[in-house]
Amino acid sequence: MLFRIRVRTGLRAIGHGVCATGLGLLNVPVLALWLIGLVLSPMPVLGADLLHVTTVVVRWRADLERRLGELAGVPIRRPYLPSPDRAEQGGRRWVRWIITDPATWRDMSWLLPGALVSVVLGLITVAIPAYGLAGVLLVPLWLFLGDVWFGYGLFWPVANLAEAWLALPQGLIVIAGGLVVAPLLRRVDVLFARLFLAPTSAAELRLRVAHLTTTRSDTIDAQSAELLRIERDLHDGAQARMVSVGMTIGLAERLVRRDPDAALKLLAEARASSTAALVDLRHLVQGIHPPVLAERGLEGAVQAVALHMPVPIEVTSQLPGRLETPIESAVYFAVAEALTNMARHSRAHSAWVRIRHVEGLLAVDVGDDGVGGADAARGTGLRGVERRLNAFDGTMTISSPPNGPTVVTMEVPCALSSPKI
């Protein structure tokens, strides 16, 4: 399974390298287009509209690079200031907003060096496996053009059929090396782009404030929804059963002297109803904070969830202590939701959960070898996971290309208690 994942990752990186090369070639005309829009922006009629179009093109190109960064495992946030209403603020103020936004100039400064780095690294990403493929195909080519001397690897030129056959293992080694190197080259390209396209310190602070405002609202909404759920479950479950118990006992009191047998039957029904109400309350409490989480910690609770899944799940953990109870509960339910989505939609044959805590950051990876295509925007399950983590300043990233594998990475800044506590 690990070999297949490595091959898929390498092939996907090579494909992304081809895309990065093509997109890098677009950077120069995109830059020229925006400069034309900037020069013509003072024109009273078409200037602001032309700058608007060119700015949209530039940010579209930058967003494509950010998307490639997400696919390579390096998320890059959008740093742009909120757009004013052009109809209300006027064209000149809208142009001033574009020009005074630091992210605009960072995009411009990235276009030329970004094009150079993307094209060079993209060509290297493609050239290595292509050279290996040439070695694999050298034998039929040599047989077809036997009078022509070729050069490959250790033999330059290839003078006979034996040397042509020896090019085959060399080509396989080069292809393997290309599959290993391709993700690294893509990561270097994306990290270089992040130097320009990621938010500055001021923009990061502004995004942080906006993020906290949004997560506070989401947390309040989630708490309200949770309280309503608990109230509804109590009203429809345990409360209704307890009302039934009271009515049954009242009927038994009336019949206890006239018909003792009927009164005993009613009391038996009341006892059964009280037992069912107790079960409902136990399930309700488990939905708030499962006892297995309090007894065995996050690792043990996740292992218990994994045992009930229809596919084999490998759980590995490196937690030298316990998490704070609210964070532990949020991460547990987030992992349980991710595993439930995997079991329902991925058609996977195996899955894994990796839990680790490094330098004040809890990181949890939930992955599977299913069909891929997971997207938080198309369902409420993963979006609910994201809302749970946002309450603790956590993040969730999804890597789920078509044909898999799918990896959901959850990160929450937190501290661990002492193992002795």
Side-chain angles (χ1 to χ4, degrees):
M1 181 185 69
L2 182 60
F3 174 76
R4 293 199 307 269
I5 292 176
R6 291 290 180 88
V7 172
R8 288 179 184 176
T9 303
L11 293 175
R12 188 165 62 248
I14 293 172
H16 294 167
V18 175
C19 295
T21 303
L23 291 175
L25 296 175
L26 289 176
N27 283 19
V28 175
V30 166
L31 177 60
L33 184 65
W34 189 84
L35 291 177
I36 293 173
L38 180 64
V39 170
L40 299 179
S41 60
M43 294 178 60
V45 180
L46 299 177
D49 293 332
L50 183 60
L51 184 62
H52 170 257
V53 172
T54 55
T55 302
V56 169
V57 173
V58 170
R59 295 188 175 182
W60 165 80
R61 172 64 187 96
D63 287 339
L64 285 179
E65 194 68 21
R66 294 185 182 96
R67 178 58 178 166
L68 288 176
E70 292 180 1
L71 295 176
V74 183
I76 305 175
R77 301 180 64 187
R78 298 183 89 247
Y80 305 115
L81 294 172
S83 172
D85 191 337
R86 292 179 60 192
E88 296 180 0
Q89 302 294 345
R92 290 189 177 274
R93 185 165 184 177
W94 191 86
V95 171
R96 191 182 306 118
W97 161 74
I98 293 177
I99 297 176
T100 56
D101 190 348
T104 300
W105 300 103
R106 289 171 65 85
D107 289 349
M108 295 305 107
S109 63
W110 164 77
L111 284 173
L112 284 181
L116 180 62
V117 172
S118 295
V119 171
V120 171
L121 294 182
L123 291 177
I124 295 174
T125 301
V126 177
I128 295 177
Y131 184 70
L133 184 61
V136 173
L137 300 177
L138 185 60
V139 171
L141 187 61
W142 198 92
L143 293 174
F144 182 71
L145 302 173
D147 295 336
V148 181
W149 285 6
F150 300 92
Y152 191 85
L154 300 176
F155 304 103
W156 197 278
V158 176
N160 52 59
L161 185 59
E163 292 180 354
W165 276 109
L166 289 176
L168 175 60
Q170 296 180 69
L172 293 176
I173 293 174
V174 173
I175 290 176
L179 292 176
V180 173
V181 171
L184 301 179
L185 294 177
R186 288 298 309 132
R187 186 172 181 86
V188 171
D189 185 14
V190 172
L191 289 174
F192 180 80
R194 190 172 68 174
L195 294 175
F196 296 88
L197 302 181
T200 61
S201 299
E204 189 70 40
L205 180 60
R206 184 176 63 252
L207 293 174
R208 172 82 174 134
V209 172
H211 174 73
L212 290 177
T213 302
T214 303
T215 55
R216 182 182 65 179
S217 176
D218 289 342
T219 302
I220 293 174
D221 293 341
Q223 289 178 344
S224 300
E226 187 69 11
L227 289 174
L228 289 175
R229 182 189 68 83
I230 293 173
E231 181 181 3
R232 183 180 64 252
D233 291 346
L234 286 173
H235 181 271
D236 297 340
Q239 179 178 339
R241 293 185 184 277
M242 294 307 298
V243 170
S244 176
V245 169
M247 295 176 62
T248 304
I249 292 176
L251 292 176
E253 288 178 348
R254 297 179 181 180
L255 296 175
V256 67
R257 294 184 178 179
R258 289 185 298 140
D259 192 350
D261 293 336
L264 289 175
K265 291 182 180 179
L266 291 175
L267 291 175
E269 292 179 4
R271 183 177 61 183
S273 296
S274 65
T275 302
L278 183 61
V279 172
D280 290 341
L281 289 174
R282 187 179 294 114
H283 288 164
L284 183 62
V285 171
Q286 288 177 350
I288 299 174
H289 189 75
V292 65
L293 186 61
E295 296 171 0
R296 300 170 57 184
L298 180 61
E299 179 182 3
V302 171
Q303 288 177 342
V305 173
L307 290 175
H308 293 85
M309 290 293 159
V311 299
I313 300 176
E314 178 186 2
V315 180
T316 58
S317 175
Q318 298 176 358
L319 292 181
R322 289 290 297 268
L323 300 167
E324 296 180 2
T325 300
I327 296 178
E328 193 174 57
S329 179
V331 174
Y332 164 78
F333 283 112
V335 173
E337 182 66 29
L339 291 176
T340 301
N341 287 341
M342 177 273 300
R344 289 178 178 174
H345 308 296
S346 70
R347 300 200 295 271
H349 298 91
S350 62
W352 62 91
V353 179
R354 299 188 182 97
I355 307 171
R356 59 194 183 280
H357 188 274
V358 181
E359 298 180 354
L361 184 70
L362 174 69
V364 182
D365 296 330
V366 181
D368 63 72
D369 61 352
V371 297
D375 188 356
R378 294 187 300 177
T380 59
L382 292 175
R383 197 178 303 163
V385 171
E386 194 170 17
R387 282 198 298 266
R388 283 185 182 274
L389 300 178
N390 284 341
F392 300 94
D393 200 18
T395 60
M396 181 191 73
T397 57
I398 303 174
S399 174
S400 184
N403 301 321
T406 296
V407 179
V408 179
T409 300
M410 295 170 274
E411 295 182 343
V412 181
C414 62
L416 295 180
S417 64
S418 170
K420 297 181 179 180
I421 298 178

